[in-house]
Amino acid sequence: MAKRVPVKTALVGLLVAPGAMAQQDPAQTPAPAPATPSTENQPAAPAAAPATMQTVTVTGSRPSEDFQVTRGSINRLGAANLMDVPQSVVVINRALMQSQGVTRLEDAVRNAPGVTIGSAEGGAIGTNININGFSARTDIYLDGMRDRGQYYRDVFALEQVEVLMGPSSMLFGRGSTGGVINQVTKKPFLKQATELSAQATTNGLVRTTADVNTPFQETNAARVSAMFQAGKASTVDQTNMLDFGLAPTVKLGIGTPTEVTLGAYLMHRKDQVNYGVPNLNGYPLNAPRNTAWGFNDDYTEQDVVTLQSLIEHKFAPNLNLRNQTEFVWVNTAVRETSGGFVGTLGSNGGFVAAPRGPNNIPYSAAPLGNLWIRQFSRDRNINDITVENQTEVLAKFDTGSVGHTLLMGIDLNYESYTNKQSSRTGTCNGIALPAGSVGCTPAGYTVGANTPGNVASVPGNYASSQAWGAGFYFNDTVQLLPEVKLVGGLRWDYYAASIGNSINSANTAGSTAVPFQYQPDSFLSVRAGIIYEPTPAQSYYVSYSTSFNPSLEQLTSTTGGSYLPPENNKGVEAGVKYELLNANLSLNAAVFSIVKNNARTANPDGTYSPTGNVQVTGGRVGFSGRITPEWQVFGGYAHLNGVILQGLSYQNGIGNTTGKVPLNTPTDSANLWTTYTFKETWEIGGGFFYVGQRYANNTNTVVVPAYTRFDLTAAYKQPTYDVRLNVYNLFNSIYYDGVIASDGGRAVMGAGTTGMITLNYRL
């Protein structure tokens, strides 16, 4: 008869398994073995008794996956074990995302304190994220390759999301002032597995996903992830979605010296994007939560094609070569209308914008029922293309008693960008409006009309640009003593970009619009750190790193024709990392300082000068893992002290940013997510996200209030299926999700109380 072992005993066995096993794909992870009693001081077994393997049957439901991750996927860090990385790294894995019901990248990175969300804006459509007070729009990566396209990112094809804090140009090239976000895609493995999912929300959004892994022959496998969703995304009006995606991947030679991975990420979206709330009296307009001021036929349509190949060859156990190539094409076609400005109606029925008083302080306007919104068109068609190739060699060797893990690489890339803008100009009650303003609408409710038929679309600027880049880098992790490691690296980058704008193709004298500009830049980035590990469960480190931002990094510029040197950034960090409770609970803490020099500041005539300086200092703590076999936790806290050390002072102080707090940089932010499993079947949990007060512009004239959002979850789990309920914004709190500086400062209203039911089925 098979010997049965209690599930709790099996769970304990799983928890004390090696950390590497915890990082395997859940479908690959073998069933945990029961804990074996110690044989120390026990009499030896008789020599004649051969060792035998007993059959073990584990009863009960499938245990919850761990939120804890102890190993990263970024090869160029030089260390897979996060204890050996002298920077803060937050990893949000699939188990945590499924527990929270995450579908968007923005919702995943909320779990990293110090990360804040931006919103759609005229020059930056798609996922906009700030890290440590600095924009990270072009610092998003897919499997370690730059993913700079302007599109909204889904998580259906992701295994985990990694947030690396601090300047990191030595590792990634240009950018990364506050840090980087790396999306890790699902990879094929040698076991048949299928997982199907269906979701529905109280807002009317339905979503289905599929994840199918199929091995073929002895060392090959294919995996396909798919997604479809349709319906209303939020309690806010005009947020309908119709999206689908497909991510096929094949991996050849698994477990052999040469592994080849070929993958694609294909997605089509046609959404109505929430462009947020305009400001009045220094705060977001106090309109009902569901109000939107666009038109029913507004849309943001996106097509994404990503193709990747990865070849990894192991010459010897300690000598690896990898070559990775990526092609990304993103097309974004937008016809959206936002609430741009608040005002009242004049005696003739025309729109009158709310005036501003001395020092840019708005006046007290009429009650909401008497206020109107001037609608602004945000129309464009964008094409983004990125082609990148990286070749890296990783070698481990000794020089005497000193061990080395040496990484050397070459990074070559090409990027192009076009943006064909257009605008719609209409009237307010028959009175002409400024160019780009479509119409006017009451501020207190959603009208729900289509775009007026007599409002034509007029072509505007056509921007085109391209860039070439090359980076050469090496990083060495030196095992100086058993307890001491040194990390050091250098990277030299060359980046040349050219841009053109049709709005001043004749290069008219006195115009600050740039008809054409070419700018080459080069920069040497450094990384250095020392790690002290008295035991495998303790790590203490100090690190220094730099990064740079070329002025044409985002391949956009319409003003200021002079050469601007790259912004250069320096970061210092000191931290500790611990593994407790038999390595089942990870704790980390760090203090840091990031300084940006040569920051670009706007002049009164619309040009820019490299005269700014910005500093963010702060600290963070984080934790993830199991306190008991049944109780999981994940969370953290960040304190940011951001200040613009040197900005620009206009006449009479209007526009002065010196001494101000950088936009979208809350002093405090925190999050907690916890779950508890009863009787190996029932799970309950929840948590909160707290974001402190922020400003919607660098002049700090628009305040976005602090908020705390509470969420709950409950699940019923069986070996082949589980049913989960998520409730978001339990107390229906009014809060603002994203922040953007356009139109003087806008904020995106967060959704009200929303329920979601999820059915996962595994074959």
Side-chain angles (χ1 to χ4, degrees):
M1 175 180 288
K3 180 180 178 181
R4 296 184 178 270
V5 177
V7 172
K8 289 185 179 179
T9 304
L11 280 172
V12 173
L14 175 62
L15 289 170
V16 299
M21 181 170 291
Q23 303 311 306
Q24 294 181 9
D25 190 286
Q28 300 180 72
T29 306
T36 304
S38 172
T39 58
E40 186 177 354
N41 299 324
Q42 298 294 322
T52 60
M53 297 292 291
Q54 291 184 316
T55 302
V56 176
T57 301
V58 177
T59 61
S61 65
R62 179 180 63 92
S64 298
E65 297 179 67
D66 286 344
F67 298 160
Q68 180 193 35
V69 176
T70 59
R71 302 179 70 83
S73 71
I74 303 174
N75 189 68
R76 71 195 73 169
L77 283 175
N81 189 340
L82 298 180
M83 297 285 283
D84 296 333
V85 178
Q87 284 177 264
S88 297
V89 183
V90 181
V91 181
I92 301 101
N93 66 3
R94 185 156 53 118
L96 181 62
M97 289 190 285
Q98 287 183 337
S99 179
Q100 295 178 344
V102 167
T103 61
R104 307 183 307 160
L105 180 63
E106 296 98 312
D107 294 324
V109 298
R110 292 181 200 281
N111 291 284
V115 173
T116 51
I117 310 301
S119 67
E121 191 265 339
I125 305 295
T127 303
N128 286 288
I129 296 171
N130 279 29
I131 304 177
N132 294 326
F134 299 96
S135 173
R137 196 198 71 75
T138 59
D139 298 323
I140 301 175
Y141 289 77
L142 187 68
D143 290 327
M145 305 288 277
R146 193 180 296 273
D147 183 25
R148 55 173 292 276
Q150 297 188 33
Y151 69 98
Y152 294 95
R153 290 160 175 83
D154 199 283
V155 303
F156 76 94
L158 300 186
E159 191 67 43
Q160 63 188 36
V161 178
E162 302 166 337
V163 183
L164 178 67
M165 301 290 188
S168 303
S169 281
M170 186 264 121
L171 300 169
F172 296 97
R174 73 181 194 276
S176 68
T177 307
V180 300
I181 296 169
N182 183 45
Q183 307 162 90
V184 183
T185 60
K186 298 174 181 177
K187 304 297 191 303
F189 52 92
L190 295 176
K191 183 178 180 181
Q192 183 70 45
T194 298
E195 183 168 347
L196 307 176
S197 175
Q199 294 176 323
T201 75
T202 54
N203 296 324
L205 180 69
V206 294
R207 174 183 170 97
T208 62
T209 61
D211 182 11
V212 180
N213 187 84
T214 302
F216 59 97
Q217 300 178 352
E218 293 185 356
T219 59
N220 307 325
R223 189 170 184 176
V224 178
S225 299
M227 176 275 295
F228 173 83
Q229 62 184 9
K232 190 177 178 183
S234 170
T235 57
V236 178
D237 293 339
Q238 298 174 342
T239 55
N240 293 308
M241 308 176 73
L242 180 61
D243 311 327
F244 56 86
L246 186 69
T249 307
V250 62
K251 189 169 185 177
L252 309 175
I254 299 175
T256 69
T258 302
E259 296 183 339
V260 178
T261 305
L262 304 174
Y265 178 88
L266 314 170
M267 188 167 65
H268 174 81
R269 305 181 68 105
K270 190 168 185 180
D271 306 335
Q272 292 177 312
V273 175
N274 183 358
Y275 270 75
V277 180
N279 68 83
L280 181 68
N281 295 331
Y283 292 90
L285 178 66
N286 186 23
R289 182 205 302 276
N290 65 312
T291 309
W293 298 286
F295 296 109
N296 284 345
D297 53 356
D298 285 349
Y299 65 85
T300 295
E301 190 166 10
Q302 299 183 311
D303 290 288
V304 181
V305 175
T306 299
L307 305 176
Q308 282 194 342
S309 71
L310 173 62
I311 302 172
E312 299 176 282
H313 179 71
K314 183 176 292 187
F315 292 98
N318 293 323
L319 181 60
N320 297 340
L321 172 70
R322 69 196 312 267
N323 180 272
Q324 191 170 2
T325 303
E326 173 193 64
F327 168 84
V328 182
W329 171 73
V330 179
N331 174 255
T332 300
V334 179
R335 190 186 69 185
E336 294 279 6
T337 309
S338 71
F341 301 94
V342 184
T344 59
L345 295 183
S347 59
N348 62 353
F351 180 85
V352 180
R356 294 180 180 273
N359 297 323
N360 211 30
I361 303 300
Y363 85 126
S364 295
L368 181 65
N370 295 332
L371 293 177
W372 285 67
I373 300 293
R374 194 175 91 197
Q375 299 161 294
F376 195 80
S377 65
R378 302 186 180 276
D379 307 346
R380 65 196 59 83
N381 190 298
I382 299 173
N383 277 287
D384 266 309
I385 294 177
T386 302
V387 181
E388 185 174 6
N389 179 269
Q390 295 176 356
T391 301
E392 295 179 337
V393 175
L394 181 65
K396 297 181 180 181
F397 58 92
D398 295 331
T399 55
S401 60
V402 178
H404 298 265
T405 300
L406 178 63
L407 176 72
M408 298 179 293
I410 301 175
D411 183 355
L412 306 173
N413 57 81
Y414 167 80
E415 299 166 351
S416 71
Y417 168 88
T418 63
N419 185 345
K420 186 176 182 179
Q421 297 180 343
S422 60
S423 64
R424 290 164 287 140
T425 302
T427 64
C428 179
N429 297 321
I431 307 300
L433 290 170
S437 295
V438 186
C440 61
T441 187
Y445 57 92
T446 302
V447 173
N450 288 335
T451 303
N454 61 347
V455 177
S457 179
V458 178
N461 183 48
Y462 178 76
S464 61
S465 53
Q466 54 186 338
W468 302 263
F472 306 88
Y473 56 94
F474 77 91
N475 184 86
D476 194 7
T477 301
V478 181
Q479 187 79 53
L480 191 63
L481 297 170
E483 303 87 3
V484 178
K485 295 179 181 178
L486 303 179
V487 176
L490 294 173
R491 173 171 174 140
W492 182 82
D493 276 282
Y494 176 82
Y495 180 79
S498 63
I499 64 170
N501 294 284
S502 67
I503 56 175
N504 187 25
S505 57
N507 198 18
T508 304
S511 174
T512 60
V514 178
F516 177 81
Q517 186 174 348
Y518 171 77
Q519 182 169 317
D521 288 301
S522 61
F523 197 84
L524 182 66
S525 304
V526 302
R527 178 178 186 238
I530 181 170
I531 307 170
Y532 175 62
E533 297 178 341
T535 70
Q538 302 177 65
S539 179
Y540 306 86
Y541 67 87
V542 176
S543 65
Y544 172 81
S545 56
T546 67
S547 67
F548 74 107
N549 300 87
S551 65
L552 303 184
E553 173 187 13
Q554 299 194 28
L555 297 182
T556 58
S557 177
T558 57
T559 57
S562 61
Y563 171 84
L564 295 176
E567 297 174 331
N568 63 80
N569 317 291
K570 301 176 182 179
V572 178
E573 182 174 323
V576 297
K577 300 179 182 182
Y578 297 107
E579 291 186 349
L580 307 176
L581 304 179
N582 293 323
N584 291 308
L585 181 66
S586 297
L587 303 178
N588 63 82
V591 293
F592 65 91
S593 176
I594 302 172
V595 176
K596 176 184 284 291
N597 296 309
N598 294 341
R600 291 178 284 278
T601 58
N603 301 313
D605 64 355
T607 61
Y608 288 85
S609 299
T611 57
N613 299 98
V614 182
Q615 182 178 36
V616 178
T617 59
R620 63 174 62 90
V621 295
F623 49 88
S624 63
R626 292 182 183 269
I627 297 177
T628 69
E630 300 86 2
W631 184 13
Q632 287 208 84
V633 294
F634 189 102
Y637 164 78
H639 176 83
L640 303 179
N641 180 21
V643 61
I644 301 174
L645 299 174
Q646 179 63 49
L648 189 68
S649 178
Y650 292 176
Q651 189 176 5
N652 298 324
I654 298 176
N656 181 20
T657 58
T658 300
K660 304 297 185 180
V661 178
L663 69 92
N664 210 359
T665 306
T667 301
D668 299 292
S669 58
N671 62 280
L672 170 67
W673 189 257
T674 181
T675 61
Y676 194 91
T677 302
F678 294 90
K679 298 182 179 179
E680 298 85 34
T681 300
W682 296 94
E683 179 186 287
I684 62 170
F688 69 88
F689 296 94
Y690 169 78
V691 177
Q693 175 183 292
R694 298 166 284 168
Y695 294 103
N697 54 35
N698 283 335
T699 56
N700 295 176
T701 58
V702 178
V703 177
V704 180
Y707 75 86
T708 303
R709 192 189 87 186
F710 291 90
D711 299 341
L712 291 180
T713 189
Y716 175 73
K717 296 189 173 186
Q718 290 296 306
T720 59
Y721 73 91
D722 57 69
V723 181
R724 180 175 295 277
L725 172 67
N726 289 91
V727 179
Y728 306 104
N729 196 3
L730 178 66
F731 300 111
N732 202 34
S733 302
I734 297 291
Y735 74 98
Y736 298 95
D737 202 17
V739 172
I740 200 70
S742 64
D743 304 331
R746 286 186 286 112
V748 175
M749 180 69 76
T753 302
T754 301
M756 182 173 71
I757 190 76
T758 303
L759 171 63
N760 292 314
Y761 182 69
R762 293 170 291 276
L763 300 176

